[in-house]
Amino acid sequence: QVQLVESGGGLVQAGGSLRLSCTFSGRSFRNYAMGWFRQAPGKERDCVAAIGWSTYYTDSVQGRFTISRDNTKNAVYLQMNNLKPEDTAVYYCAAADQPGLPTMPGDYGYWGQGTQVTVSS
């Protein structure tokens, strides 16, 4: 069974940076596409970034966020720079047992518990 554990969330002022980490266990990490999603109160859970055979970023974070993975550490990261108040949300790490570059929540079968990111203005 795949398990995902996120860390690195917190409170930061606008313009600041945070780095989210997600550790993967239970299966062969390199066989999974990985994604970072976020969900703000009253809104849907959306894909922020994904990494598979390539990388994907939603338009609002392009140029500010970077997704990366370390297959030797079974970990995926989300470096978030120039944070804005509208980035405030719970951020979730997710794993998809498929190749490619999935970006829809339904493509992902495994989820972490979420980590809160709050950006103050």
Side-chain angles (χ1 to χ4, degrees), residues 16-119:
S17 298
L18 284 174
R19 187 192 193 212
L20 304 183
S21 300
C22 174
T23 57
F24 174 107
S25 63
R27 291 288 188 274
S28 179
F29 178 62
R30 63 180 62 250
N31 293 335
Y32 286 75
M34 300 297 296
W36 285 98
F37 289 74
R38 67 185 178 189
Q39 188 167 21
K43 295 190 176 181
E44 295 183 348
R45 188 173 298 188
D46 293 323
C47 185
V48 175
I51 185 165
W53 58 23
S54 184
T55 55
Y56 162 85
Y57 298 96
T58 194
D59 287 347
S60 63
V61 309
Q62 186 76 38
R64 300 188 297 123
F65 291 11
T66 302
I67 188 171
S68 62
R69 67 189 295 163
D70 186 338
N71 288 344
T72 67
K73 296 183 179 179
N74 288 0
V76 62
Y77 308 98
L78 186 67
Q79 178 66 44
M80 305 185 293
N81 297 330
N82 190 21
L83 282 159
K84 303 176 180 181
E86 51 264 42
D87 295 318
T88 296
V90 177
Y91 282 70
Y92 297 90
C93 172
D97 184 12
Q98 59 172 279
L101 196 62
T103 61
M104 300 300 293
D107 295 327
Y108 288 80
Y110 303 97
W111 294 85
Q113 80 284 0
T115 185
Q116 177 70 46
V117 171
T118 303
V119 184

